Amino acid sequence: MAFINPETRRTLNENDRRWPLKLGMRAVATLFAFIAMVLFAATTDISKRNYGGNDWVDGMPLAPVLLALFYDATVLFLSLFRGSGHKIHPGWHVGVDLIIWALAIPALVFSVGDGWFLYWEPVQFEFDGFIPCVGYNTWSHECNPLIYTLGRMEIAANVFLALILIIHFVLFVFACIATHKRRMANKRAATETRNVELQYHRSPEEHMAQQPPAYTPSAERSTKTPPANENPFNDPPHKAAPEEYENPFRDVENPAVKYA
């Protein structure tokens, strides 16, 4: 997938790590749906022009095939080519993939149960080697080769329809898992928000807005060096000790008193 730009790839990785597998399966399903659509449409048209009537057996599978073709192509376009990794809610995948494989089951049953290949009959020769195209040889390959061509086209189309059914069932399971994870994440976020509101009686945004700012010392003050004669602790200056001890009771006039 070298055609995907880096920004789209990064967004897809953030949304879902399994995006290469899921988008790869949808790309394969798109190709299979296109081939099945051509085969079913051609079989229906040829049957109607040669045998008349309304061949709804081959027309019925066109419903899930066309839905798969349209939806898978839309998902690929939105995910890879529109913007940068457009995220689609997994609930859409749950609903549409469910409809596709649910419609494919009865379409496959009716198409296989009433296909042209069920009319194939081995040819039976007469004694002289002649092949009469009446009775038991009416649906033989030698007498009616067109139904063998239609039968082969139906078999191929039903094989592709069965593959589409399997792919979309797997994608449906993936979508259910993604929806469950998304719902649980939203539930946890709502619980955390509710806990903050109950504890602080305000929303988390208001709680964060009223918090004091974190202490971040400025570069000017953190790099300032106090001068040598400056007291960094702003303590009051101590009084210098006297050089000589002074006696407060010293008698200046009579320096000495002699006692007998």
Side-chain angles (χ1 to χ4, degrees):
M1 299 183 179
F3 58 89
I4 305 176
N5 60 65
E7 183 179 358
T8 301
R9 187 185 299 273
R10 179 181 57 80
T11 305
L12 291 173
N13 287 328
E14 292 176 355
N15 294 335
D16 187 0
R17 292 291 183 180
R18 294 180 177 177
W19 70 266
L21 175 62
K22 296 179 181 179
L23 294 184
M25 294 176 66
R26 292 199 181 275
V28 173
T30 302
L31 177 62
F32 289 169
F34 179 78
I35 298 174
M37 178 192 67
V38 173
L39 292 174
F40 280 121
T43 304
T44 303
D45 181 66
I46 296 173
S47 299
K48 187 175 182 179
R49 286 190 290 106
N50 289 272
Y51 301 101
N54 187 11
D55 193 2
W56 63 272
V57 175
D58 291 329
M60 184 179 179
L62 287 175
V65 167
L66 290 176
L67 181 59
L69 178 63
F70 173 76
Y71 185 72
D72 291 336
T74 302
V75 172
L76 291 173
F77 174 76
L78 293 178
S79 300
L80 300 179
F81 302 105
R82 181 183 180 275
S84 57
H86 185 75
K87 185 177 181 179
I88 302 176
H89 195 285
W92 282 98
H93 299 323
V94 172
V96 179
D97 290 332
L98 173 62
I99 294 175
I100 291 174
W101 69 262
L103 289 177
I105 292 177
L108 190 63
V109 170
F110 283 108
S111 181
V112 172
D114 195 20
W116 282 110
F117 50 85
L118 297 178
Y119 293 89
W120 292 353
E121 293 290 344
V123 64
Q124 296 184 13
F125 298 90
E126 296 289 344
F127 293 102
D128 55 357
F130 179 72
I131 303 176
C133 291
V134 293
Y136 48 80
N137 281 333
T138 302
W139 303 107
S140 63
H141 183 271
E142 285 73 8
C143 296
N144 201 343
L146 182 59
I147 65 170
Y148 285 79
T149 302
L150 294 174
R152 295 187 185 98
M153 294 172 63
E154 285 180 337
I155 292 174
N158 285 312
V159 169
F160 286 112
L161 179 59
L163 294 175
I164 293 171
L165 189 156
I166 295 172
I167 291 174
H168 279 275
F169 181 79
V170 175
L171 291 172
F172 168 76
V173 174
F174 283 154
C176 290
I177 296 174
T179 304
H180 176 70
K181 291 181 178 179
R182 183 186 181 96
R183 186 182 298 112
M184 295 302 296
N186 293 338
K187 186 176 181 180
R188 286 194 298 268
T191 302
E192 293 175 358
T193 302
R194 181 60 178 167
N195 292 337
V196 172
E197 292 177 352
L198 292 175
Q199 182 177 1
Y200 299 102
H201 303 287
R202 53 180 178 265
S203 65
E205 292 77 11
E206 295 174 347
H207 173 68
M208 294 301 298
Q210 296 180 4
Q211 295 300 310
Y215 174 72
T216 54
S218 62
E220 180 181 357
R221 297 190 61 182
S222 61
T223 57
K224 181 180 178 181
T225 303
N229 58 352
E230 181 180 349
N231 184 4
F233 303 102
N234 295 324
D235 293 335
H238 296 282
K239 184 178 180 181
E243 297 180 358
E244 182 181 357
Y245 175 75
E246 297 181 359
N247 185 4
F249 304 99
R250 179 180 179 184
D251 193 356
V252 180
E253 296 178 357
N254 300 316
V257 179
K258 184 175 182 182
Y259 294 93

